[in-house]
Structure formats: structure tokens, C-alpha cells
Amino acid sequence: MSKQSRRSEFLSEVGNISAFTGKFFREGFKPRYEWSELFRQCYIIGYESFPLVGITAFIMGLVLTVQSRPTLEEFGAASYLPAMVAVSIVREIGPVITALICAGKIGSSIGAELGSMRVTEQIDAMEVSGTNPFKYLVVTRVIACTMMLPILVVLADGIGLYASYIGVNLKGIVSWNLYTTQVFESLTFSDVMPALVKTYFFGFAIGIIGCYKGYFSNKGTEGVGIAANSAVVVSSLMIFVIDLIAVQIADILGLT
Amino acid sequence: MSTEENIVIRTEKLVKSFGENHVLKGFDLELNKGENLVVLGKSGSGKSVLIKCMVGLLYPDSGLVSVFGKEIPKLTQLELDELRTKIGFLFQSSALYDSMTVRENLEFPLRRHWMHKTKDEVNELVMEALKNVGLERAVDLMPSELSGGMRKRIGLARTLILKPEIMLYDEPTTGLDPITGREISNLIVAIQEKYHTSSIIITHDMECAKIVANRIMILIDGFKYTVGTYDELVKSDDPKIKPFFA
Ligand SMILES: Nc1ncnc2c1ncn2[C@@H]1O[C@H](COP(=O)(O)OP(=O)(O)OP(=O)(O)O)[C@@H](O)[C@H]1O
Ligand SMILES: [Mg+2]
């Protein structure tokens, strides 16, 4: 493929995703709302990703603590360990790792599900039965992702911090009271808020891209695989792009 | 015979291409009220495309498609949805919703009317539709637990549940054994008699065509080649018609 056509393909993809997002906002606020499907999706997305997110957060918290100790000890700052770990988990590691795991798990499953519904004409069947498939399938999934990701991130942060408490106590003794005091003293509004706000955007990006890839998947079983795969690739990339933009905005607003 | 108000679906000079692939090149069709019209054509000749244009799943490049006198491409989304409740569409692949049970599949088209119906009424409609296709026992199964023929019949029950005035069948008997195929064909005739539906049936299966057809239309190279009853066409010596009845 020539450079030219690859560039125009990239641009048309960006255009299509923007149009798809625009349609989400147009359709999403018109009644009738698909409440029961929304709750079902929230349950699926939240509940089914939680074990994976929890295990990863636990390991990350533990590993981060154990690995940071030698460096801090070198500077005679081992007592700052809880504070340092808390800030890194809450500001960056919790949101980004959780979002990446969800991009892998939720993004691919949405891409594959909608892709196979497209291929087997189930989306067409919804359309001819007078139900708006965009509303029923896309709007509910995108909203569910947007709402559930921040909750998953908060849970992951909590689990990560608890794991870090265990990590701190592997060598040396810090009581739970002292640990929590140190953690909460180190965390400020400007650590928590921007981190929380960006997770909504992470969730939205995972939902929109998974749905877009599935909804417009190509005919054939091959198309389903491609939809699932590219949903993961593109939404993971989007997470880093959003992270980059978020850090700039937080910087401009003085939330550092 | 076909006076103006008797025609429920009409296409005139229907043209549809996908890029360089010119599928329909000016197709004319009239479906009369209460009749079963069979459309024959080789694989890939654009039969599915034709009926998808009739429900607004695809839009023609030019030409006219009208259902109950309404031009499909000119309708708003709301009007189109309203019209679609009067049209049943049986997909070639059955298109059952994988993630839902048979019951939920059948309830799905009723969603638009839910506020007017009690739970018992919905249940009654579901069981009646299943009875029509003889599969009441499958009500709590998942689509993955059904055989191909059962899927076809559940798909049929799902389209029948709104008692449509028009039925569009996309290859209802393809991929089934001759016995099940005959059952489906008889079912199509029974539906016509019971609900007075007007139907277009797309098929390659000559036995099905023989059982269900009031008229048969042959689609060749994007045009209507000929139309007639089964008995007329089966006697034809035309080298383009003969292969269909071989
Ligand atoms: N959505 C689409 N995009 C591009 N091409 C399409 C699309 N739908 C159908 N076609 C093309 O239109 C032609 C006719 O397809 P169609 O599905 O109508 O055939 P058919 O007559 O129903 O065949 P079969 O008996 O095998 O079902 C095919 O060449 C197909 O490749
Ligand atoms: Mg077809």
C-alpha cells in the first residue's frame, strides 16, 4: 500500500469514528431509553472484568512497593514509601493499567459480539423489527463502559494500596493506621480529581471504539476476528493519547 | 387482475450496484394482495438485495420501491419503523439473537408495543407463534441448542408474531432436508391462508416453488426475465428458463 493511500485510510477512519461518536450523542439522548439493557451491560462489564482488574491491581501494588524500596533506602527516604506508592497508583498506574486491561477484555468482547451480530444479520433483523439497533446495542454499551470504568479504577486503586501495605510490611513494620495516615496525607485533590475524570474518557473510548469496530465489521467470520483485534489495538492507543492530553490539561489548570 | 389498490409492493426500474458490481439493473416487480410470489434466480443474482431494498436495509441507486403506496427511500425513520411492523422478514441465515433464549427472541419484536400488553398477553402471543411452527417445547432453549431447521422455524415464528401483512422469505428451505423443507413450504401456504398475507418467497428449491407459488418470477442478469405460473413455466422451451426446472 502506498504512503498516500495509507494516510487517507487513516484519515477516513478518524472521520468515521468521529461521525459514529456524533451519532452516539444524537441518538443517546432521544427517548426511548433502553434501561434494562443498560443495567445488564453494566453488570456484565463491571462484574466480569472485576476479578482480572483486582488481581492485576494487587500484583502491581505489591511489585511497585517492593521495587521502590531499595531506591528510596539509598536516599534514606524509606519512610516515604507509602506516600510515593500511593501517588503513583492513584495518579497513573491504577487508571492506565485498569483501562488497558478493560480495553483488552471489554473492547475485544464488544467488538466480537457486535461483529458477529453484524455478520449473521442480527443487527439487520433488529432494524426490520422496528427496534433501533444503534440505541439498543451501541448506546447502552458505551454508557455502561463510561460508568463502570471509574468504579473499576477506584476499586483497583483500593486493592493496589492494600497490596502496597502488605509490600511495605514484608521488610519493616508499618501499622495500618500509620500507613493509611501517610497515604491520605500524601494524596491531594489534584492527585485524585484529574485521575478520576480521565477514567471516564478511557471508558468512553473503549466503548465507542469496540462498538464502532463491531458495528461496521466486514462480512465473513474473518471480519469478526479483525473487529475484535483492531478494537483492542485502537482503544489501547487511544488510552495513551487521552492520558497525554489529560496530563497537559491538568498542567494548564495548575492541577499538578 | 392487478388493479392499482391491489398492489402491495411495487418496484420499477430498480437499480442497485456495489461499486463495479451491477446487481440490479432495472428490476420491475408487482406483488398483489394475498398472493405468494416466488422469485427465482441464480446464486448471487441479487435476490437478497432486492428484498432488502423493500424494507430499507439497502437503498436503491435509482428507481422506485414502494410498499403500500409509500416510497421507502423517502420515509423518515419513524415512518419506516411504523411500516416495518407490517412486514415480516425471514433472513436467509435465520438471524436469531444468539444471546437471548427462544422466548426472548420472540418477545423482541413486541418491544415496541410492550406498554399496551400485559405479561400474560405477551406469553400467549409467544406460545401461539411457536404453536404455528410446532416448536412449543423449544421455548426456553438458546439458539445454539437448535438445529438448522429449528432455527428456520423459530425465525419464522419471530417474524409471524406481529401478524405481518407482508412476508418476505429469503430462501426458507435452503439447507434443509426434503421433509423439513416440505413442512416449511406447507407452513408458508398455511400462513397465507390463515392470515391472508401477501408474500415474496425467494428460493432455488423447485419443490418449494411448486407448493407455495401463485406466480413465479425469474431474475436474470439484473432484470425480470419472465413471470408466470408454475405450470406455464415448467412447460417452457426457453433455454434460459429450462435449467431452473431441470
Ligand atoms: N452489502 C453488500 N456490499 C457489497 N456487495 C454486496 C452486498 N450485498 C450483496 N452484495 C453483492 O450483490 C450480489 C448479489 O447478492 P445477493 O445476496 O442478493 O445474492 P442472492 O441472489 O441472494 O444469492 P444467494 O442465492 O446465494 O443468496 C453479490 O455479488 C454480492 O457480492
Ligand atoms: Mg440471498
Side-chain angles (χ1 to χ4, degrees):
Chain A
M1 212 189 293
S2 74
K3 226 177 187 172
Q4 183 87 45
S5 77
R6 213 178 305 160
R7 191 181 313 145
S8 71
E9 193 176 308
F10 171 75
L11 287 176
S12 80
E13 183 86 343
V14 171
N16 289 341
I17 293 178
S18 314
F20 193 76
T21 310
K23 187 168 180 190
F24 167 81
F25 285 109
R26 258 177 288 127
E27 298 274 343
F29 295 105
K30 270 190 270 168
R32 23 167 316 172
Y33 306 108
E34 304 283 358
W35 293 113
S36 64
E37 179 66 9
L38 176 62
F39 289 130
R40 203 174 73 88
Q41 287 305 324
C42 284
Y43 175 79
I44 293 174
I45 289 169
Y47 184 79
E48 293 191 347
S49 334
F50 177 66
L52 196 60
V53 167
I55 291 170
T56 323
F58 187 87
I59 294 173
M60 285 312 296
L62 197 61
V63 169
L64 193 67
T65 313
V66 172
Q67 286 194 341
S68 304
R69 180 189 290 278
T71 319
L72 286 179
E73 271 174 351
E74 217 169 285
F75 296 107
S79 61
Y80 285 113
L81 192 54
M84 198 213 83
V85 171
V87 170
S88 18
I89 287 180
V90 170
R91 286 190 73 133
E92 193 59 25
I93 293 176
V96 171
I97 296 281
T98 308
L100 286 177
I101 288 171
C102 290
K105 183 153 170 56
I106 303 170
S108 67
S109 83
I110 290 179
E113 188 188 12
L114 296 197
S116 76
M117 290 186 79
R118 167 63 70 197
V119 168
T120 57
E121 299 182 313
Q122 292 175 52
I123 294 182
D124 288 341
M126 280 189 182
E127 192 147 358
V128 294
S129 73
T131 295
N132 182 340
F134 192 89
K135 240 184 181 144
Y136 186 80
L137 298 172
V138 175
V139 172
T140 52
R141 280 168 177 73
V142 175
I143 294 179
C145 281
T146 314
M147 294 197 322
M148 294 321 282
L149 207 76
I151 297 178
L152 286 170
V153 167
V154 169
L155 291 171
D157 285 353
I159 292 169
L161 289 175
Y162 184 72
S164 159
Y165 166 69
I166 296 174
V168 169
N169 278 289
L170 286 179
K171 284 183 187 168
I173 297 165
V174 176
S175 76
W176 176 246
N177 271 343
L178 180 61
Y179 177 78
T180 48
T181 318
Q182 282 190 341
V183 165
F184 285 113
E185 260 171 16
S186 68
L187 290 175
T188 61
F189 176 80
S190 57
D191 292 321
V192 178
M193 256 343 255
L196 200 61
V197 170
K198 74 181 174 191
T199 59
Y200 282 95
F201 288 91
F202 290 164
F204 185 77
I206 293 170
I208 274 283
I209 288 168
C211 288
Y212 169 78
K213 289 290 179 186
Y215 204 73
F216 294 116
S217 104
N218 285 323
K219 290 273 169 193
T221 13
E222 202 190 348
V224 179
I226 295 173
N229 185 356
S230 58
V232 177
V233 175
V234 177
S235 56
S236 307
L237 196 65
M238 279 299 289
I239 286 164
F240 288 112
V241 173
I242 292 170
D243 203 33
L244 187 66
I245 296 171
V247 85
Q248 300 294 332
I249 292 177
D251 196 34
I252 290 167
L253 295 179
L255 294 170
T256 46
Chain B
M1 179 186 72
S2 50
T3 55
E4 222 23 63
E5 64 260 36
N6 247 343
I7 294 172
V8 289
I9 298 185
R10 173 201 293 283
T11 72
E12 261 171 36
K13 303 203 173 57
L14 191 66
V15 176
K16 177 74 191 173
S17 312
F18 298 98
E20 286 301 294
N21 182 4
H22 304 290
V23 180
L24 298 174
K25 300 172 187 164
F27 192 77
D28 298 315
L29 172 150
E30 282 165 5
L31 175 68
N32 297 311
K33 203 166 188 339
E35 88 169 328
N36 278 348
L37 174 67
V38 166
V39 177
L40 293 179
K42 278 196 292 194
S43 184
S45 57
K47 301 176 297 310
S48 300
V49 170
L50 172 70
I51 57 169
K52 280 181 184 168
C53 287
M54 296 173 181
V55 288
L57 282 177
L58 291 173
Y59 285 93
D61 301 333
S62 69
L64 174 105
V65 204
S66 74
V67 177
F68 293 122
K70 296 189 182 110
E71 276 189 58
I72 297 289
K74 291 188 182 158
L75 297 180
T76 64
Q77 189 63 43
L78 219 62
E79 291 167 329
L80 188 59
D81 282 345
E82 201 53 49
L83 186 65
R84 278 167 171 169
T85 59
K86 296 185 196 156
I87 307 175
F89 195 115
L90 180 67
F91 283 85
Q92 194 165 349
S93 57
S94 303
L96 299 183
Y97 308 128
D98 291 330
S99 58
M100 304 181 197
T101 64
V102 167
R103 180 192 295 282
E104 288 162 341
N105 261 281
L106 292 181
E107 283 172 355
F108 199 85
L110 296 172
R111 292 161 36 88
R112 273 172 67 84
H113 312 273
W114 255 354
M115 35 288 228
H116 312 303
K117 289 201 165 59
T118 65
K119 237 184 155 131
D120 286 343
E121 282 173 324
V122 169
N123 186 44
E124 209 168 283
L125 280 171
V126 168
M127 291 324 277
E128 186 195 332
L130 285 176
K131 202 165 144 204
N132 275 331
V133 297
L135 275 179
E136 288 138 295
R137 65 203 147 83
V139 65
D140 290 317
L141 297 181
M142 295 301 285
S144 57
E145 297 169 301
L146 304 174
S147 72
M150 288 164 91
R151 293 171 70 97
K152 275 260 152 73
R153 284 191 280 169
I154 297 295
L156 192 52
R158 189 179 68 186
T159 44
L160 286 177
I161 200 155
L162 287 177
K163 309 217 165 58
E165 294 167 44
I166 296 176
M167 280 293 300
L168 305 172
Y169 300 92
D170 197 347
E171 309 200 6
T173 58
T174 306
L176 303 181
D177 63 278
I179 302 169
T180 317
R182 208 169 305 137
E183 277 173 20
I184 299 255
S185 304
N186 288 327
L187 200 56
I188 292 173
V189 176
I191 289 162
Q192 181 195 20
E193 283 166 3
K194 192 167 171 190
Y195 300 116
H196 307 289
T197 46
S198 328
S199 313
I200 294 178
I201 301 108
I202 287 172
T203 187
H204 313 276
D205 175 2
M206 287 322 297
E207 193 183 350
C208 169
K210 188 177 177 185
I211 296 172
V212 303
N214 299 120
R215 284 193 305 155
I216 296 179
M217 184 174 279
I218 296 182
L219 165 60
I220 297 177
D221 292 335
F223 291 102
K224 171 168 87 177
Y225 186 72
T226 185
V227 60
T229 63
Y230 182 86
D231 295 327
E232 283 164 19
L233 294 180
V234 83
K235 282 189 229 116
S236 164
D237 285 328
D238 190 318
K240 286 198 169 169
I241 299 177
K242 261 192 126 90
F244 285 104
F245 295 86

